[in-house]
Amino acid sequence: MEDTVKSEKLGRKSYAYQPNLWGDFFITHAVPIQNSSKWLKTRADDLKDEVRILIKSSADTVEKMTLIDTIQHLGIGYLFEKEIDAVLTNLRALTFESNDLHEVALYFKLLRRHGFPISSEIFLKFQNDDGSFKTTLSRDARGLLSLYNAASLQIRDEDILEKANVFAHDGLKHLVHDLKSPLRNQVSRALNTPLPKMMKRLEARWYIDEYEEETPNHVILELAKLDFNIVQALHCEELKAISLWWKDFNPKEKLGYARDRIIESYFWITGVYYEPQFSRARIILVKVIALITILDDTYDVHATLEECRQLADAVERWDKKSAEILDEYLTLVYLTLINLCEEIENELEPSEKYRASYLIEGLKTLIRSYIQEAEWHAQGYFPTFQERLEVSLISSAVPVLCCASFVGMGDVATKEAFLWVNQNPDMVRAASEVARFIDDVVGYERERSLDELPSVLGCYMKEQNVTKDAAVIKFEEWTQDGWRRLNQAFLEPTPVSPVLIERIFNFIAMIHVLYIHMRNGFSEPTNVKKYISLLYVEPLCI
């Protein structure tokens, strides 16, 4: 747990966060399988051709859906985007008739997640006249699992999926202990985190093992294993480069009050995009989130009010000369931030360099929210719920990180996309709300035990004169509404490519995974260490 430490000299407050668990491991760690292996790439290319033939030759609708779902579940869907798009477009044009719960739920899940506005009324056939789901379905574990995953794609005003979610959850909870592996494992994971919200790369790693226990297509299975190892090798190379950059920064020695979470940051961003083509974007976003963590801890747990003001003033001016007015440790933080943005701009193509200005403006807005919180805390001011919420949605860092997630993307990240994301559209606000509500509920007990500005949850409790339990119920309702709006974003026309929309969704899904599924694994990294090992240290046997 985190302890509060007082400094007699400056009256500072800091937390004894868990230390960095990895040290120089990924600097010295040998890449499990060399990404340059000619045989590996040649064999994978041959298998890709065979899978393309499988997709094209499959005539049966259910067989085709199952094939697409399997390919996506194994983490190799990105290799067949054109083929998958063609299949799902054709499926949408068909009138799909089935009385099998699993088949209908799979059809719904595939099309809705792909952005097709399919109606949830497709599940009416499984309901009684009073709107309840038929009890005959309660023993169909596979069907309930598919229904539960489909129901997690609910948008607003979908009573059918609200009932489906409760029915499937209760049914699976009742059945799970009687199921056999691998279905039991899949149900257990889904009860914690439904498949659409799960980290794709981690789920793929688990499912590769489970698929082998089923009746696998050996061509698809071999490709999934080969591709996992190829991508893992790339990830290890990126981890080495990022770890060297972080070691040069050296926050452990110079900024000991802050969370040293560069490896956990990489794990988080792997959940946003793991695919090889997003390597540049991934590295940029990892560096940005790692520095924002330092900034957050600087304002939250270490800097005096005067230092907070000085750093905020320097960020507003955004020039290296402003570092002269800062304390030595703040100079390091400030110059590293400016240097990172210069580094990012230098890595961008001439036609992309404008992106850095959007990132810088987002960082300035973030610091303004931090200084507002610091001022409130120093004044002993207890903000209203709405005041606290509006500032906290920005200080969650979600708006600037959504923008940062676009910076390293290719041509798909247009100027219109940056204008859109920086105007705080409903998807970004919904994402910020989900992140803030989850963080406040998870961190409430810590906040109570420390001399901190009251959280949004605390302000709500005081304003409404309700207990923590009552407030948590309300926050969970708002969180679910946020997820519905995030799902809605896939279905609504925007100036933004679905590829970018998916990054925002994945980013917030990782907050759910880290803070709920992995029990605040970002601040308490022992909770995610085994998952990091699984993804970056342990190759698959082929």
Side-chain angles (χ1 to χ4, degrees):
M1 296 297 293
E2 296 148 3
D3 300 317
T4 305
V5 180
K6 293 283 186 180
S7 167
E8 296 271 338
K9 182 178 179 182
L10 293 175
R12 298 189 190 279
K13 179 183 67 176
S14 62
Y15 303 151
Y17 288 113
Q18 287 186 14
N20 183 318
L21 302 180
W22 296 95
D24 292 345
F25 178 83
F26 286 102
I27 295 175
T28 59
H29 175 55
V31 176
I33 292 181
Q34 290 301 317
N35 195 33
S36 60
S37 170
K38 185 177 180 180
W39 176 87
L40 205 64
K41 291 183 176 181
T42 301
R43 179 58 181 159
D45 287 341
D46 290 342
L47 291 169
K48 282 183 247 181
D49 289 339
E50 292 187 48
V51 173
R52 288 190 183 97
I53 293 171
L54 280 172
I55 295 172
K56 291 178 181 178
S57 63
S58 178
D60 180 74
T61 299
V62 174
E63 179 184 318
K64 201 177 285 277
M65 289 194 308
T66 302
L67 181 61
I68 297 303
D69 185 56
T70 299
I71 288 170
Q72 292 181 333
H73 203 167
L74 290 168
I76 53 176
Y78 77 95
L79 298 172
F80 307 101
E81 288 179 351
K82 290 182 179 178
E83 292 82 2
I84 290 173
D85 183 68
V87 168
L88 296 182
T89 300
N90 289 334
L91 277 177
R92 181 67 183 93
L94 296 176
T95 301
F96 181 65
E97 296 290 346
S98 174
N99 291 314
D100 183 276
L101 180 60
H102 164 70
E103 293 174 1
V104 173
L106 178 58
Y107 176 77
F108 178 88
K109 185 193 77 171
L110 288 173
L111 292 182
R112 176 160 285 194
R113 178 44 78 226
H114 203 67
F116 291 112
I118 181 172
S119 173
S120 56
E121 290 183 358
I122 196 171
F123 295 109
L124 283 173
K125 67 178 73 177
F126 301 108
Q127 290 184 311
N128 298 308
D129 292 340
D130 62 0
S132 62
F133 276 80
K134 297 177 180 178
T135 56
T136 53
L137 303 168
S138 61
R139 299 299 301 176
D140 179 8
R142 187 162 170 258
L144 289 175
L145 178 58
S146 295
L147 179 63
Y148 187 59
N149 286 325
S152 73
L153 300 176
Q154 178 187 2
I155 61 177
R156 280 177 166 175
D157 301 320
E158 282 195 307
D159 184 60
I160 296 174
L161 291 187
E162 185 71 35
K163 292 177 179 178
N165 181 71
V166 174
F167 175 75
H169 180 273
D170 291 348
L172 291 171
K173 197 171 181 180
H174 179 74
L175 293 174
V176 61
H177 297 297
D178 296 325
L179 300 175
K180 295 181 180 179
S181 179
L183 183 58
R184 178 175 179 172
N185 297 336
Q186 293 162 18
V187 168
S188 295
R189 289 200 302 274
L191 287 172
N192 281 323
T193 305
L195 191 58
K197 296 179 185 175
M198 177 51 79
M199 181 183 186
K200 292 181 177 62
R201 181 69 172 168
L202 188 58
E203 178 65 29
R205 177 60 184 83
W206 285 323
Y207 187 59
I208 288 171
D209 290 342
E210 294 164 353
Y211 183 58
E212 199 163 11
E213 293 181 44
E214 297 173 0
T215 308
N217 179 300
H218 291 285
V219 172
I220 296 174
L221 179 61
E222 184 183 356
L223 176 60
K225 289 183 173 183
L226 280 175
D227 187 73
F228 183 90
N229 286 350
I230 290 171
V231 175
Q232 184 186 64
L234 172 63
H235 289 171
C236 287
E237 291 172 2
E238 293 173 0
L239 274 165
K240 181 176 182 178
I242 289 169
S243 296
L244 286 167
W245 171 79
W246 194 245
K247 186 176 183 180
D248 185 58
F249 176 32
N250 195 17
K252 179 181 178 181
E253 295 298 324
K254 302 171 184 176
L255 305 169
Y257 61 86
R259 285 167 290 178
D260 188 347
R261 296 291 181 268
I262 192 66
I263 304 304
E264 291 76 18
S265 295
Y266 187 87
F267 176 77
W268 186 338
I269 303 312
T270 303
V272 178
Y273 22 41
Y274 67 89
E275 301 90 337
Q277 67 266 33
F278 299 131
S279 178
R280 182 181 71 164
R282 190 162 44 247
I283 291 172
I284 287 173
L285 188 54
V286 170
K287 291 180 177 180
V288 171
I289 199 171
L291 280 187
I292 284 178
T293 301
I294 297 291
L295 286 167
D296 182 41
D297 290 341
T298 298
Y299 271 89
D300 211 23
V301 307
H302 190 72
T304 65
L305 179 60
E306 184 58 30
E307 288 172 343
C308 288
R309 289 168 175 164
Q310 289 172 353
L311 181 55
D313 289 343
V315 169
E316 288 293 341
R317 288 192 290 271
W318 201 264
D319 65 85
K320 292 183 179 180
K321 289 183 180 179
S322 297
E324 297 172 1
I325 66 170
L326 300 176
D327 188 89
E328 183 180 357
Y329 85 97
L330 287 180
T331 298
L332 173 65
V333 174
Y334 178 63
L335 291 180
T336 302
L337 185 65
I338 286 185
N339 290 337
L340 174 61
C341 290
E342 289 181 352
E343 173 193 322
I344 290 170
E345 185 174 1
N346 290 336
E347 289 181 8
L348 297 173
E349 297 296 325
S351 62
E352 301 172 333
K353 290 188 182 297
Y354 71 88
R355 299 176 182 182
S357 64
Y358 285 95
L359 174 59
I360 291 168
E361 186 54 43
L363 289 167
K364 289 181 178 181
T365 302
L366 175 67
I367 296 299
R368 290 173 200 140
S369 72
Y370 286 167
I371 191 63
Q372 178 64 80
E373 291 176 337
E375 296 281 1
W376 279 345
H377 184 257
Q379 296 164 9
Y381 178 66
F382 206 112
T384 67
F385 166 71
Q386 199 61 42
E387 286 175 332
R388 188 69 178 101
L389 175 63
E390 294 306 319
V391 172
S392 292
L393 295 182
I394 300 171
S395 68
S396 71
V398 171
V400 67
L401 288 169
C402 287
C403 175
S405 72
F406 292 3
V407 171
M409 302 283 279
D411 294 340
V412 71
T414 62
K415 192 164 188 177
E416 289 72 23
F418 283 93
L419 288 169
W420 176 83
V421 76
N422 275 29
Q423 289 170 353
N424 198 35
D426 188 65
M427 184 183 193
V428 174
R429 184 176 176 93
S432 303
E433 288 176 4
V434 171
R436 175 50 62 201
F437 296 150
I438 288 175
D439 183 62
D440 275 19
V441 170
V442 170
Y444 176 73
E445 294 303 328
R446 184 191 71 180
E447 172 229 315
R448 274 190 65 194
S449 67
L450 302 171
D451 179 27
E452 285 191 344
L453 181 70
S455 66
V456 180
L457 184 69
C459 291
Y460 179 82
M461 289 169 60
K462 180 180 179 182
E463 191 168 292
Q464 298 297 320
N465 192 27
V466 295
T467 64
K468 177 201 169 187
D469 289 344
V472 166
I473 290 172
K474 192 64 178 178
F475 272 48
E476 288 175 347
E477 290 175 3
W478 286 337
T479 300
Q480 291 308 310
D481 183 65
W483 281 115
R484 295 183 192 109
R485 289 152 59 202
L486 288 168
N487 289 331
Q488 183 73 47
F490 283 92
L491 307 176
E492 293 179 339
T494 69
V496 178
S497 165
V499 176
L500 300 179
I501 294 291
E502 187 173 357
R503 301 314 130 200
I504 297 175
F505 184 92
N506 289 349
F507 185 85
I508 300 306
M510 280 304 296
I511 289 178
H512 174 91
V513 169
L514 281 166
Y515 282 81
I516 296 179
H517 194 95
M518 299 177 182
R519 294 172 294 126
N520 199 7
F522 192 73
S523 291
E524 301 186 25
T526 51
N527 294 344
V528 299
K529 186 175 183 180
K530 65 180 179 181
Y531 304 115
I532 290 172
S533 294
L534 196 62
L535 293 190
Y536 312 122
V537 181
E538 306 167 20
L540 284 164
C541 295
I542 300 173

